[in-house]
Amino acid sequence: MSDTYLQLDKLTLAYGDTVAVKDLDLSIKKGELVALLGPSGCGKTTTMRSIAGLLNPASGRITLDGADITRISANKRNVGLVFQSYALFPHLTVYENVAFGLRLKGISGQDLDNKVTASIKSVGLASFASRKPGELSGGQQQRVALARSMVMEPKVLLLDEPLSNLDARLRLEMRAELQRVQKETGVTMIFVTHDQIEALALADRIVVMLNGGIEQIGTPEEIYNKPVSAFVADFVGFENVFALDNGKLATSNSRVELSAPAPQAAKGLAWRPRMVILGSGPFQGTVRGTSFAGNVREYLLDTPLGPIKAEVDAGEPSHAIGSTLAFDLPVAAAAPLSRYR
Ligand SMILES: Nc1ncnc2c1ncn2[C@@H]1O[C@H](COP(=O)(O)OP(=O)(O)OP(=O)(O)O)[C@@H](O)[C@H]1O
Ligand SMILES: [Mg+2]
């Protein structure tokens, strides 16, 4: 692809004998904001470390802006890295923290001042330049870490769970901030999170990883609405996931006919709780649990298909625990999965 900026080619990454990432292929365009999403241990940090040059690939290739950087040392790659613990220098001011890397590169005088000032301003900290990290909130420190990386004008900026130790409100603010800085500067960004909401809100594209490989790559809309595998479906909230066997729902001990034919190629079907129709349909379930969640009510049903999660408007008549209900899993609403596992 001609507009590929960063390319990972059959990248395999290992710690000694432990393979953490296997045969990973990924193409990223210039200026894209890509989120790596996935459960703990799936290889997100490992992938970032290899792009930054902190981990040598066991095999495969990394190209950036037309150059093979697989064997280039970390300090020559022009890749910025912001980790969850952002380790600012506590004895230096915000200004000096941001200036540090530029000074190492031999930049000084007016040039240095222009860059540092602009960078501090871009993260909204202009009036904090002479403070030390200990005199800043967690979110402000995080922004210093961001400015410190941005000022180096990296070709790619890698952010490994940069928001994970912020409280909910600050996270939202920083999310918006990150998005703004990224759009303003056009820097290519890869952002690691295990928070799917964060990934959906921020990213141009999402890469869902599992067990050292890629499960699915797509826009937030694609990942959210068209998961391709059982894992991604469950991960984005399709809590009722079934394999198909010759067009029938496969449960642990039976094959169940659906109310309409399943799509030919589908290996599985998945429904969000709110896609389940309660009160009519060919199936029967017993209410095992129910909970009120503001504008909706959630039900957990015991059914011959296994447990089913359903969600209806809180205004609907409620069903007591122990009552038996008809329900349907409407095929038209389901996400067809091209891979069950
Ligand atoms: N230094 C190391 N030595 C040996 N194995 C490691 C090392 N670092 C990570 N691993 C292993 O590699 C795999 C991938 O780890 P990685 O840190 O990339 O996961 P992650 O997706 O970033 O997870 P998390 O969401 O918990 O940060 C895990 O199985 C982990 O145990
Ligand atoms: Mg990690």
Side-chain angles (χ1 to χ4, degrees):
M1 236 165 48
S2 60
D3 60 350
T4 293
Y5 189 59
L6 174 66
Q7 176 136 19
L8 311 183
D9 245 335
K10 292 240 164 306
L11 204 59
T12 294
L13 306 168
Y15 299 98
D17 290 339
T18 313
V19 174
V21 169
K22 181 128 185 69
D23 287 338
L24 189 99
D25 289 317
L26 180 62
S27 296
I28 293 175
K29 294 200 247 334
K30 190 167 183 157
E32 249 192 318
L33 202 175
V34 171
L36 296 189
L37 184 63
S40 187
C42 70
K44 304 180 298 292
T45 295
T46 302
T47 303
M48 299 283 258
R49 294 186 67 216
S50 75
I51 299 170
L54 302 175
L55 179 67
N56 264 327
S59 62
R61 204 163 67 118
I62 306 174
T63 44
L64 175 60
D65 197 10
D68 185 335
I69 60 164
T70 318
R71 304 288 158 198
I72 304 279
S73 67
N75 58 1
K76 299 216 169 73
R77 288 191 183 195
N78 207 358
V79 170
L81 186 55
V82 179
F83 275 114
Q84 177 180 347
S85 55
Y86 29 82
L88 301 173
F89 298 114
H91 58 290
L92 296 182
T93 61
V94 168
Y95 186 98
E96 284 304 326
N97 264 284
V98 175
F100 190 83
L102 291 177
R103 288 197 199 281
L104 281 186
K105 272 173 81 179
I107 295 169
S108 61
Q110 196 59 50
D111 192 16
L112 176 87
D113 189 54
N114 289 345
K115 287 185 172 179
V116 173
T117 306
S119 179
I120 292 174
K121 187 159 171 262
S122 80
V123 296
L125 289 178
S127 54
F128 295 85
S130 55
R131 294 224 195 153
K132 297 204 171 137
E135 301 160 339
L136 299 174
S137 74
Q140 289 164 343
Q141 291 180 40
Q142 202 115 45
R143 283 188 263 167
V144 177
L146 185 60
R148 186 179 58 173
S149 284
M150 298 284 302
V151 80
M152 305 303 287
E153 295 168 19
K155 289 186 165 176
V156 179
L157 184 57
L158 307 173
L159 300 141
D160 195 350
E161 307 221 29
L163 310 184
S164 59
N165 48 21
L166 300 182
D167 68 36
R169 197 180 55 82
L170 261 179
R171 261 178 102 104
L172 279 180
E173 271 176 31
M174 271 307 291
R175 226 187 251 174
E177 186 74 10
L178 263 183
Q179 218 166 13
R180 188 185 62 73
V181 168
Q182 198 264 342
K183 292 302 166 213
E184 263 178 35
T185 59
V187 65
T188 307
M189 250 189 216
I190 307 179
F191 180 92
V192 168
T193 177
H194 49 228
D195 178 345
Q196 48 139 318
I197 306 286
E198 197 159 275
L200 292 168
L202 267 177
D204 297 316
R205 275 195 307 157
I206 295 175
V207 177
V208 184
M209 292 184 66
L210 178 67
N211 299 332
I214 292 178
E215 277 282 297
Q216 187 173 356
I217 303 178
T219 63
E221 289 80 4
E222 283 164 348
I223 300 288
Y224 191 76
N225 294 318
K226 295 178 180 163
V228 296
S229 71
F231 170 76
V232 180
D234 186 54
F235 203 60
V236 297
F238 289 78
E239 291 177 80
N240 305 295
V241 184
F242 292 92
L244 286 172
D245 181 4
N246 284 317
K248 294 181 174 168
L249 278 195
T251 72
S252 50
N253 49 20
S254 63
R255 298 291 176 266
V256 181
E257 200 82 54
L258 284 155
S259 54
Q264 281 290 325
K267 296 282 196 301
L269 290 176
W271 290 266
R272 292 184 182 281
R274 69 177 143 72
M275 294 168 170
V276 177
I277 294 172
L278 275 196
S280 66
F283 307 118
Q284 296 257 307
T286 303
V287 178
R288 171 141 63 96
T290 168
S291 63
F292 175 65
N295 53 348
V296 296
R297 186 177 287 280
E298 297 162 347
Y299 289 96
L300 183 60
L301 304 179
D302 273 331
T303 85
L305 308 175
I308 292 285
K309 278 195 183 166
E311 190 184 289
V312 296
D313 277 352
E316 303 273 309
S318 61
H319 307 283
I321 289 179
S323 57
T324 299
L325 288 177
F327 72 94
D328 194 11
L329 299 172
V331 173
L337 310 176
S338 55
R339 278 179 290 136
Y340 183 71
R341 277 288 164 233

